[in-house]
Amino acid sequence: MSDVEEEWAPLPTRYAVDKDDRIGRIQARYAGSVYLRPPGGGKEWAVPPEELRRPTEEERERIRVLTTPVRVEE
């Protein structure tokens, strides 16, 4: 990464972590809230944007594991 870290904002399709350390993919922003869904699917929840942060490298690895399709051999 460069010396100056890129500005991060909670935008749709990005992953974020809320104040309870729940990881979610940003679905939408509406009426002052950001709507997230867990990696791999699940129930959506809403949080204020100021309660979100960029995922750490460890959290990004967890996202990759949870969103990678599993190949089934027959």
Side-chain angles (χ1 to χ4, degrees):
M1 191 174 284
S2 68
D3 292 339
V4 178
E5 188 169 325
E6 173 189 337
E7 182 76 22
W8 184 84
L11 300 173
T13 73
R14 288 185 172 178
Y15 284 93
V17 182
D18 70 11
K19 67 181 176 95
D20 296 321
D21 291 328
R22 292 184 296 175
I23 299 171
R25 185 169 190 240
I26 299 169
Q27 303 296 306
R29 292 182 72 145
Y30 179 74
S33 292
V34 177
Y35 292 81
L36 299 103
R37 189 176 305 277
K43 187 175 179 181
E44 195 172 86
W45 76 97
V47 295
E50 62 273 8
E51 293 182 2
L52 294 174
R53 64 172 172 80
R54 175 195 305 248
T56 64
E57 183 57 42
E58 183 178 308
E59 290 163 336
R60 286 193 297 271
E61 181 60 32
R62 186 169 164 213
I63 292 164
R64 282 189 284 276
V65 168
L66 292 170
T67 59
T68 301
V70 176
R71 186 173 173 191
V72 178
E73 301 279 334
E74 290 188 33

